[in-house]
């Protein structure tokens, strides 16, 4: 059959228990409780073949994807990040970590910090306060598309237990790859007229995919040939080795630049138990949707014929797919891992079957006992998502403002009251109530802006994300919105234009807590969060080209409560000038 | 014949006289003497087709090459440069301008200033004190290769006259183009093992060349087809329109990343009158060599048959050429500019005929009355140029040190005595006198470093640039060395290893003053300059990939005499930290 050779290094599932026992024994001899975990990272470009076609990726310590961080709830991560790029700044965002008390460590260029200059080192030091499945990625220009990402797994604190049982676990970080480098993509997207980047060439699982061949060629009528792999290629799949009749946890996170995905394990059901670092009421599915910026844990039981192997597949949803399925193999020990499954890979739901997608999203409820949302809100911000033109270039705008980040980080500009740090006009909380979200806008022109939504500290904020028709008739896209510094409750998804009457549909009983939520085409999504984390926080579409084209806003709250911001974080732009003023040595 | 259509906008030669009269009249109504010339520049990537194959270039105000600056000696240039790149810093070096009293305006990242961050504006303000043919270009990473360059022409001060006559002038800025973008080139050059960028795809004259066709296809037996151009293409040649029986000045500057060039005008002799902004004793040539970093003015007389047009050609020298000649047309009015010359383009000297090259260099003497060098030196620095390995990566090293620039600009580190700004070990003034420059090194390993040659103020410095065998046997390359902040006298070129006895060959009578001088394969070049310009100054091989691989040193002198450095120039790295220290607002 295939030529997938077992690499024992990848056999992490079954031996996890033993490793944990050793690990726990070691901990007992060191310290009880939380630890400071020191990491030294160097970011540099390097040649790499994520899908067999060599290109350049942004690696960390010579690895792509970057190293997986494994910590326990309550630990402090102390990451010394050195920029070894030649002319580019860099930052890393710790996606899903709320950065309570450390807003300068959120890793968002122009918002929480200055980009780290080439040759410089910046220390990210923050607490991972909550167990869950997270990841990290670049948050400057399109450096996520360049491959700057990795997994961040937070186990429950010592002595605590997860509310579900499993015998082993695997980590699947999902991404999409373009052969055109991210700099050229930036130029294309910023051009007048805009040049769209198109669909990705390859879907990657843990940074690995196949472009010139297919693992499942014999099941398809495409022209791709069967992959002939030794297993040590950079683009060889990471095979998941399992024992029969066990339960495994799959930690799945999507850091795609664009693609919405559907994941399935051939012939295995999955039970969803975690979303974005929060426990959810378990529910069973045949396959699951995952949007960029989301993470999930699912449990599956190896209850199938152990003399076969099975496909794990990811497929594009929400956009007409031009990218082959991403695949890897679930290998039942002792079946040879190079035995290909005896049936085709899972067939994903039709790409534009949004009812299917909504059905999945609507199955997600907080686990009983999870924090409940406040029953009322202090402020409701309606955010209309539109595609627009500015001077002939295509942009995305929120309430007709397309975000262009300023050179001075908001955190410092607000803290020190620098008037010229950003637009002092507060962006609008509402859009014209006569706006027809089902049709292309009558006036398709928009403007640039970088104002801030200033939130009163400790108030409850409702955000209604309102989707609309894009520039072309009968087109409305999926946008997964990600909030920094907070989790929010997803109160409801709805169709068409939100009205006050839709409040009746809000789920205040057991809405899921998340950091990312999707808006469906021509629909709306209602979120609620408490503005209780002093800082300046990005809230944006997690599709990187959309953010690059302006699809985001900035929230800020409680900045007066921040005592001192490390000068390393804000020593650029106007804050840098201010801090240097009157301090010129002669 | 061809299809080169006249664009009247390009007809700058014959109408120059009239324009000048109008210009002078205007000046008379404004002010006598020097002016401050205000420019607002925005640097951004843009799609462009310099040779017919579309790529991305770094443009200024939407132009490639950047706008030509035209000023008069004594003028102040005030250039507000805004960085509209997405994640990259930027600086611009004003090549050949000595920056007397303004060392922070030299535009060298890590040496004279911090790179300008995206979204930020930096003001370059400096005097152009000396008439001549100059240019400007990026000096960070490989941004010159990305296309960040343009011409800077300084006319004599009002009321002054050039020491030669001409009826019109043209400006030819020469460069070379790779289809692989400069970021990918940087990664290739830094890789282990190093991947060499190879020869350029196209030679450009004023940013224009032809890749998919040839202007002279009918004269060649290559497979290239004859270009069919309307004249308004980005890659159409700029035609030089001349009147018969006039004398024209050609201002020629080479900002190539790699290529050494030979320039010729079919059937016309040229008289060299200026080199690097200094007048030289006129001499006549059939064709001329020009290395990266050099500039020349030549005069030619339109004394040929006016019913023909003539080629202007540039060809690669010093490396086995894999790049077609760069061509444009000298059009005798009223002959149609689309009439192709009736004979083939000039044949350049054999690429490796170094005797020919040396013969040209040895014809260059300062114009009678030019400043003469001091007859003795205070310090002699011997700089051995070698190709080496560091941890398996190929580098260039000077006295076995491969330059890696620090994140904090030297100018600030030295001024404020910051110990950790750079290596405090002074790099060596000499190399092992038993080193055999004719053979590959016995120990090919080198080390990184970033120490500074501290020069005593107002002392006379001799530099002996010593070439050597590169890594491969019987290979030694051309390196054009460029000094910032000064002109130097070129005292002599010699063969083999320099010995004290070679001092007898020094020309102290009329050596040319220049800012760039070449070392020939297996040879040496002796330079002398006076360290009379307070500042930190790069001295480096002007081949950009060689500089990227470490081929440079840093000189500094008189820094105590600099009163105050604008904080905008040094507000990064350790100087930024120092200036912000004790100044944290709460």
């Amino acid at each position: 059959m295939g030529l997938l050779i077992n690499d024992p290094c990848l056999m992490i599932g079954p031996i996890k228990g033993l490793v944990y026992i050793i690990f726990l024994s070691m901990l007992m001899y060191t310290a009880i409780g939380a630890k400071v975990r020191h990491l030294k990272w160097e970011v540099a470009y390097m040649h790499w073949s994520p899908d067999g076609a060599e290109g350049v990726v942004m690696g960390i310590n010579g690895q792509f994807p970057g190293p997986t961080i494994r910590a326990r709830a309550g630990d402090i991560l102390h990451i010394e990040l050195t920029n070894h790029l030649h002319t580019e700044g860099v930052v890393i965002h710790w996606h899903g970590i709320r950065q309570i008390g450390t807003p300068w460590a959120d890793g968002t260029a122009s918002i929480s910090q200055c980009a780290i200059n080439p040759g410089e080192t910046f220390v990210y030091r923050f607490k991972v306060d909550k167990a869950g499945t997270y990841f990290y990625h670049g948050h400057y220009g399109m450096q996520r598309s360049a491959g700057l990402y990795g997994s961040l797994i937070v186990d429950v604190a010592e002595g605590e237990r997860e509310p579900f049982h499993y015998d082993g676990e695997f980590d699947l970080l999902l991404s999409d790859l373009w052969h055109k480098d991210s700099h050229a993509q930036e130029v294309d997207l910023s051009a007048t007229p805009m040049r769209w980047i198109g669909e990705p060439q390859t879907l990657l699982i843990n940074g690995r995919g196949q472009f010139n061949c297919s693992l499942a060629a014999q099941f398809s009528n495409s022209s791709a040939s069967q992959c002939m792999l030794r297993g040590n290629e950079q683009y060889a799949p990471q095979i998941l080795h399992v024992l029969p009749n066990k339960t495994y946890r799959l930690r799945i996170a999507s850091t795609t630049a664009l693609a919405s995905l559907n994941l399935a394990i051939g012939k295995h059901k999955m039970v969803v138990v975690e979303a974005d670092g929060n426990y959810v009421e378990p529910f069973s599915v045949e396959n699951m949707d995952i949007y960029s910026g989301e993470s999930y844990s699912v449990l599956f039981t190896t209850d199938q014929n152990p003399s076969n192997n099975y496909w794990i597949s990811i497929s594009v949803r929400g956009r007409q797919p031009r990218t082959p399925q991403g695949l890897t193999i679930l290998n039942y020990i002792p079946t040879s891992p190079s035995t290909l499954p005896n049936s085709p890979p899972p067939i994903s739901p039709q790409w534009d079957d949004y009812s299917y997608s909504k059905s999945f999203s609507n199955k997600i409820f907080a686990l009983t006992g999870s924090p409940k949302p406040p029953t009322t809100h202090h402020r409701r911000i309606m955010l209309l998502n539109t595609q627009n033109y500015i001077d002939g270039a295509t942009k995305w705008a929120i309430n007709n403002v397309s975000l262009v980040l300023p050179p001075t980080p908001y955190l410092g500009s607000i803290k020190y009251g620098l008037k010229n740090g950003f637009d002092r006009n507060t962006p609008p909380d509402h859009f014209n109530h006569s706006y027809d979200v089902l049709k292309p806008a009558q006036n398709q022109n928009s403007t640039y802006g970088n104002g801030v939504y200033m939130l009163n500290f400790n108030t409850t904020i409702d955000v209604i994300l309102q989707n609309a028709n894009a520039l072309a008739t009968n087109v409305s896209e999926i946008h997964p919105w990600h909030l920094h510094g907070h989790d929010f409750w997803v109160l409801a998804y709805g169709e068409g234009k939100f009205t006050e009457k839709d409040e009746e549909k809000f789920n205040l009983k057991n809405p899921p807590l998340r950091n990312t939520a999707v808006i469906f085409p021509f629909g709306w999504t209602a979120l609620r969060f408490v503005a209780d984390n002093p800082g300046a926080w990005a809230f944006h579409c997690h599709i990187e080209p959309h953010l690059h084209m302006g699809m985001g806003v900035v929230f800020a709250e409680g900045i007066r409560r921040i005592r001192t911001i490390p000068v390393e974080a804000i020593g650029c732009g106007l804050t840098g000038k201010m801090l240097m003023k009157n301090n010129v040595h002669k």
Side-chain angles (χ1 to χ4, degrees), chain A:
Chain A
M1 296 281 277
L3 264 169
L4 298 157
I5 292 157
N6 184 4
D7 175 354
C9 297
L10 301 178
M11 197 197 282
I12 54 174
I15 58 166
K16 171 183 167 270
L18 180 61
V19 169
Y20 258 33
I21 289 163
I22 296 168
F23 182 63
L24 286 171
S25 318
M26 285 169 61
L27 266 189
M28 271 186 278
Y29 287 101
T30 53
I32 301 295
K35 288 177 67 174
V36 179
R37 293 178 191 265
H38 288 266
L39 300 171
K40 275 198 176 215
W41 281 7
E42 303 194 341
V43 175
Y45 284 110
M46 56 186 192
H47 296 109
W48 206 264
S49 297
D51 66 354
E54 197 198 56
V56 166
V57 300
M58 215 175 252
I60 298 174
N61 295 352
Q63 297 178 44
F64 168 78
T68 294
I69 300 177
R70 190 108 205 177
R72 285 190 172 275
D75 284 354
I76 303 287
L77 297 185
H78 177 106
I79 301 159
E80 289 179 43
L81 186 74
T82 300
N83 177 355
H84 281 298
L85 309 176
H86 293 116
T87 54
E88 283 180 79
V90 76
V91 293
I92 290 185
H93 170 58
W94 317 95
H95 186 108
I97 307 301
R98 290 170 296 171
Q99 301 292 351
I100 295 167
T102 52
W104 50 80
D106 192 43
T108 44
S110 289
I111 301 174
S112 64
Q113 70 169 115
C114 306
I116 307 161
N117 284 330
E120 300 269 23
T121 298
F122 181 84
V123 177
Y124 288 99
R125 192 183 167 95
F126 55 92
K127 183 184 274 192
V128 288
D129 63 321
K130 193 156 57 77
T133 303
Y134 306 103
F135 57 107
Y136 61 83
H137 59 78
H139 213 297
Y140 190 33
M142 292 192 28
Q143 294 183 345
R144 178 154 57 92
S145 293
L148 185 56
Y149 48 73
S151 294
L152 198 177
I153 308 297
V154 182
D155 289 300
V156 292
E158 234 187 299
E160 307 261 312
R161 298 186 62 166
E162 302 274 13
F164 39 81
H165 163 81
Y166 52 100
D167 302 300
E169 69 170 83
F170 299 95
D171 181 20
L172 300 185
L173 183 61
L174 313 180
S175 58
D176 44 8
L177 180 79
W178 280 254
H179 290 165
K180 192 168 205 173
D181 77 273
S182 61
H183 295 110
Q185 288 185 39
E186 285 176 347
V187 178
D188 285 355
L189 291 167
S190 304
T192 306
M194 184 267 283
R195 303 187 187 183
W196 178 242
I197 59 167
E199 296 299 307
Q201 273 69 64
T202 308
L203 301 179
L204 306 181
I205 301 174
N206 292 340
R208 293 155 177 271
Q210 296 79 39
F211 178 72
N212 287 316
C213 65
S214 167
L215 298 181
Q218 62 191 91
F219 300 108
S220 106
N221 46 16
S222 88
S223 60
S225 60
Q226 181 69 31
C227 295
M228 304 289 275
L229 299 169
R230 295 183 308 276
N232 61 352
E233 296 87 353
Q234 290 173 341
Y235 62 101
Q238 257 187 20
I239 293 173
L240 279 58
H241 305 283
V242 293
L243 294 170
N245 298 310
K246 300 279 180 191
T247 296
Y248 291 92
R249 178 181 191 168
L250 261 191
R251 296 178 180 269
I252 307 158
S254 174
T255 184
T256 55
L258 174 64
S260 302
L261 298 171
N262 183 272
L263 180 140
I265 313 175
K267 302 195 176 164
H268 291 72
K269 290 201 172 193
M270 299 179 282
V271 176
V272 182
V273 293
E274 181 217 341
D276 299 356
N278 294 289
Y279 298 121
V280 300
E281 199 62 35
F283 64 100
S284 176
V285 289
E286 304 273 342
N287 56 56
M288 56 174 292
D289 287 334
I290 179 163
Y291 303 96
S292 178
E294 294 187 333
S295 64
Y296 288 99
S297 283
V298 301
L299 304 178
F300 68 95
T301 300
T302 47
D303 53 7
Q304 296 299 305
N305 182 344
S307 54
N308 289 338
N309 289 331
Y310 300 88
W311 295 111
I312 296 177
S313 67
I314 51 174
S315 316
V316 172
R317 301 260 301 141
R319 308 181 67 90
Q320 186 150 24
R322 300 179 192 282
T323 314
Q325 274 186 318
L327 293 172
T328 187
I329 302 286
L330 184 71
N331 163 236
Y332 272 58
I333 296 170
T335 301
S336 163
S338 61
T339 302
L340 284 183
N342 61 3
S343 53
I347 294 165
S348 79
Q350 187 67 19
W351 70 270
D352 56 355
D353 184 352
Y354 294 112
S355 304
Y356 194 97
S357 310
K358 291 170 193 170
S359 156
F360 177 79
S361 295
N362 281 315
K363 281 180 191 153
I364 303 171
F365 299 105
L367 182 66
T368 308
S370 300
K372 287 191 180 186
T375 53
T376 57
H377 64 279
H378 297 97
R379 177 175 174 187
R380 178 167 290 163
I381 301 172
M382 313 280 299
L383 298 179
L384 177 67
N385 290 233
T386 55
Q387 197 180 27
N388 300 82
Y389 294 117
I390 301 182
D391 300 334
T394 305
K395 302 291 168 189
W396 290 93
I398 304 307
N399 293 354
N400 215 35
V401 177
S402 184
L403 181 64
V404 176
L405 292 171
T408 306
Y410 289 100
L411 186 61
S413 289
I414 302 171
K415 170 74 180 163
Y416 296 116
L418 303 183
K419 280 185 194 162
N420 300 317
F422 55 90
D423 292 352
R424 284 290 150 170
N425 294 327
T426 303
D429 268 24
H430 300 276
F431 55 92
N432 190 326
H433 66 87
S434 68
Y435 191 95
D436 187 345
V437 301
L438 302 178
K439 290 185 185 157
Q442 289 200 293
N443 175 9
Q444 298 184 323
N445 291 324
S446 180
T447 52
Y448 294 116
N450 57 27
V452 173
Y453 289 91
M454 297 288 185
L455 310 179
N456 290 328
F457 190 65
N458 261 337
T459 56
T460 300
I461 307 297
D462 275 12
V463 174
I464 312 296
L465 287 165
Q466 177 65 61
N467 211 339
N469 197 100
L471 284 169
T473 310
N474 288 324
V475 172
S476 183
E477 300 185 14
I478 281 179
H479 303 287
W481 277 76
H482 171 63
L483 178 59
H484 292 229
H486 311 76
D487 288 336
F488 50 65
W489 289 275
V490 185
L491 302 185
Y493 300 94
E495 312 279 330
K497 190 156 74 171
F498 177 85
T499 66
E500 295 301 316
K501 215 168 147 22
D502 285 317
E503 228 182 280
E504 294 167 11
K505 299 173 192 161
F506 286 3
N507 170 14
L508 300 179
K509 193 180 132 231
N510 60 353
L513 263 173
R514 307 204 61 165
N515 59 55
T516 304
V518 78
I519 45 173
F520 293 106
F522 299 109
W524 55 262
T525 299
L527 314 174
R528 180 166 291 178
F529 69 97
V530 180
D532 57 2
N533 190 10
W537 306 109
F539 180 47
H540 62 92
C541 176
H542 208 261
I543 292 177
E544 194 165 50
H546 288 183
L547 174 58
H548 185 79
M549 294 161 74
M551 200 167 205
V553 297
V554 177
F555 293 149
E557 73 225 30
I559 297 224
R560 278 185 309 177
R561 295 166 180 262
I562 301 168
R563 289 228 184 133
T564 307
I565 302 167
V567 293
E568 293 77 11
I570 53 168
C572 66
L574 298 176
T575 35
K577 282 202 182 78
M578 179 207 72
L579 292 168
M580 288 188 288
K581 208 175 153 184
N582 305 323
N583 203 13
V584 179
H585 298 221
K586 291 191 180 177

